Amino acid sequence: MANKDLRYFMREEAKVEQIVTVPGPESIKDENGKVIQLEIKQLHNDTIAKINEMYESKTPLKDKKGNFIVQNGNVVYKVERDRSKAARHLMVEALVYPDLKDKKLMEYFGCVDITDMPLKVFPTNKEYGHVSKQVLKVLGLTDEDDEAKETEDAKN
């Protein structure tokens, strides 16, 4: 490979988070009876990582005597992650329409925490599951093979 030009990696799509339109849940329709389309932003990996880190806590581990546990010269930490809250935050950040951070929408549902909004706006398991799957698909966080396997397992 003789041509090692770095401009191949200088792509506009690497700087801008694209917006994709996907069908919303069957239960949410406009005045003409058509299913509302969702607009989902393709968040970049650094954005996803930052959101996940927000819901991670580290606590130094102690033994029964109250002494810190040290291994190879380093304090050992217990890492706890609130995956469901992180997933809801990702959903809020990725959804462009509906904008779950909209002040009027939040007031309507009586929410002050954006991570509660997906649960309020999509209150049934069917709606929430549909939107969650669409967001994860757009973000590239689901494996297409796993989804095909699930469908095949459901048929059998």
Side-chain angles (χ1 to χ4, degrees), residues 8 12 19 49 63 66 79 82 93 113 115 120 122 136-137 148:
Y8 299 132
E12 192 59 34
I19 296 175
D63 60 18
V79 178
D82 190 342
E93 290 301 323
D113 183 353
T115 61
K120 299 287 187 178
F122 310 109
L136 292 174
K137 198 183 301 181

Side-chain angles (χ1 to χ4, degrees), residues 81-109:
R81 293 178 180 92
D82 190 342
R83 293 182 194 278
S84 60
K85 202 164 189 174
R88 292 193 311 266
H89 192 144
L90 278 173
M91 192 183 294
V92 169
E93 290 301 323
L95 280 170
V96 175
Y97 181 77
D99 179 3
L100 299 183
K101 293 184 281 185
D102 180 79
K103 191 174 183 172
K104 287 182 183 177
L105 192 60
M106 290 183 75
E107 285 175 7
Y108 178 81
F109 285 104

Side-chain angles (χ1 to χ4, degrees), residues 39-100:
E39 293 177 6
I40 303 171
K41 188 186 317 176
Q42 293 177 322
L43 301 175
H44 289 160
N45 287 329
D46 59 340
T47 305
I48 294 169
K50 285 176 190 171
I51 291 170
N52 283 324
E53 287 170 10
M54 291 171 63
Y55 299 96
E56 185 177 285
S57 63
K58 295 180 182 181
T59 310
L61 287 179
K62 294 182 180 181
D63 60 18
K64 292 179 182 178
K65 294 180 181 177
N67 300 318
F68 291 110
I69 298 175
V70 178
Q71 191 174 33
N72 297 329
N74 295 315
V75 175
V76 178
Y77 289 91
K78 178 181 180 182
V79 178
E80 295 180 11
R81 293 178 180 92
D82 190 342
R83 293 182 194 278
S84 60
K85 202 164 189 174
R88 292 193 311 266
H89 192 144
L90 278 173
M91 192 183 294
V92 169
E93 290 301 323
L95 280 170
V96 175
Y97 181 77
D99 179 3
L100 299 183

Side-chain angles (χ1 to χ4, degrees), residues 17-25 35-42 94-98 130-131 134-135 137-139:
E17 295 175 324
Q18 302 294 317
I19 296 175
V20 176
T21 303
V22 298
V35 173
I36 297 292
Q37 299 291 303
L38 304 174
E39 293 177 6
I40 303 171
K41 188 186 317 176
Q42 293 177 322
L95 280 170
V96 175
Y97 181 77
H130 175 83
V131 175
Q134 293 290 0
V135 168
K137 198 183 301 181
V138 169
L139 296 180

